């Protein structure tokens, strides 16, 4: 007769099965197994984390928030759970709490540029502009072609009455994104506002070459 100690722990077995089901794309089965795990082991951080991910994938943000918060509380040193929780919070507009969880992620993985970008984005939405500017600059120092960081930083600089610095940021990104309509449109708008009509026309003509029949672009050029 097999020793009782040799039997696998049912909680561990269920969680291992949940991971297998998740990897196989069987999300409902994985969710049921995770729910069974946390019912038996309420502080099972990895199960709460996976359950939060599963709820997020199926669009159930409220339950995802509950699960990911329990994952972070059960294991505050898990940067993956903190990152997923922060990302969800930012999507839900809860930027103050998102900032804290992005910071927790970066404390363990300072080279996680997605977390740094997310934190800068939430700082900007939380009206902490100087810190957001610094955050986006750090993202661009590591990833100069990150168009999201470029557009966000340029927008913040313009809002803080630094349009020339905003143009410098946009110009630096032109080589990596020569066909970016949003980038060129922003250059047109800023140049027009500060009276740089020569540059306005130049950028508007470049836009027209990309989209010759776009009425909005033609209106910009006409203006």
């Amino acid at each position: 007769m097999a020793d009782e100690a040799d039997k696998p722990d049912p909680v561990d077995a269920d969680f291992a099965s949940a991971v297998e089901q998740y990897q196989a794309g069987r999300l409902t089965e994985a969710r049921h197994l995770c729910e069974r795990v946390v019912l038996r082991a309420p502080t099972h951080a990895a199960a709460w984390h996976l359950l939060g991910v599963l709820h997020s994938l199926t669009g159930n943000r409220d339950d995802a928030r509950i699960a990911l918060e329990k994952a972070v509380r059960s294991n505050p040193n898990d940067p993956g759970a903190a990152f997923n929780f922060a990302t969800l919070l930012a999507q839900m507009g809860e930027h103050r709490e998102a900032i804290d969880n992005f910071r927790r992620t970066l404390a363990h993985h300072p080279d996680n540029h997605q977390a740094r970008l997310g934190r800068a984005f939430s700082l900007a939405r939380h009206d902490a502009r100087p810190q957001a500017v610094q955050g986006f600059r750090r993202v661009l120092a590591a990833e100069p072609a990150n168009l999201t960081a470029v557009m966000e930083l340029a927008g913040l600089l313009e809002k803080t009455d630094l349009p020339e610095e905003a143009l410098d940021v946009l110009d630096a990104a032109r080589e990596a994104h020569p066909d970016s309509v949003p980038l060129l449109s922003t250059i047109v708008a800023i140049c027009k506002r500060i009276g740089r009509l020569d540059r306005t026309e130049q950028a508007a003509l470049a836009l027209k070459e990309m989209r010759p029949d776009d009425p909005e672009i033609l209106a910009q050029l006409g203006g």
Side-chain angles (χ1 to χ4, degrees):
M1 183 176 180
D3 192 328
E4 288 293 323
D6 294 333
K7 290 184 179 180
D9 183 280
V11 169
D12 291 341
D14 277 348
F15 181 66
S17 296
V19 172
E20 290 177 4
Q21 297 294 330
Y22 167 65
Q23 292 173 339
R26 293 187 284 271
L27 305 187
T28 301
E29 293 85 343
R31 178 170 56 80
H32 288 323
L33 285 162
C34 282
E35 288 170 344
R36 192 158 70 184
V37 169
V38 297
L39 189 63
R40 293 175 179 173
T43 59
H44 197 299
W48 281 119
H49 185 185
L50 180 54
L51 186 57
V53 169
L54 290 164
H55 282 310
S56 293
L57 288 172
T58 54
N60 191 344
R61 287 184 172 182
D62 291 335
D63 285 342
R65 189 192 190 290
I66 292 169
L68 289 171
E69 184 172 16
K70 291 193 178 199
V72 171
R73 286 185 177 179
S74 299
N75 183 8
N77 295 317
D78 180 358
F83 175 74
N84 286 328
F85 187 34
T87 301
L88 178 67
L89 289 167
Q91 292 170 351
M92 296 175 74
E94 298 182 35
H95 293 291
R96 184 173 183 175
E97 195 171 353
I99 292 165
D100 291 337
N101 283 280
F102 281 127
R103 186 186 295 115
R104 183 178 287 116
T105 303
L106 290 165
H108 292 278
H109 291 303
D111 293 331
N112 186 330
H113 303 306
Q114 283 301 111
R116 194 168 300 284
L117 179 64
R119 180 171 179 268
F121 182 89
S122 285
L123 283 165
R125 299 306 180 276
H126 195 54
D127 208 26
R129 289 182 184 176
Q131 297 94 321
V133 166
Q134 183 183 27
F136 286 124
R137 287 196 187 280
R138 291 190 68 179
V139 171
L140 290 174
E143 298 180 282
N146 191 309
L147 188 58
T148 300
V150 166
M151 299 301 293
E152 289 286 336
L153 178 56
L156 284 172
L157 290 169
E158 190 186 8
K159 286 176 184 176
T160 51
D161 295 324
L162 295 170
E164 294 291 348
E165 286 192 32
L167 286 174
D168 289 342
V169 170
L170 294 165
D171 286 337
R174 284 287 304 279
E175 185 176 349
H177 303 283
D179 299 324
S180 171
V181 171
L183 193 153
L184 271 173
S185 294
T186 304
I187 290 175
V188 170
I190 293 176
C191 287
K192 187 175 179 181
R193 277 195 286 274
I194 64 175
R196 296 277 296 277
L197 299 184
D198 54 336
R199 286 215 55 195
T200 303
E201 183 180 8
Q202 181 185 27
L205 285 168
L207 276 173
K208 183 175 179 293
E209 286 183 11
M210 283 187 242
R211 296 190 179 178
D213 300 320
D214 189 317
E216 187 174 338
I217 292 171
L218 291 173
Q220 285 181 312
L221 184 58

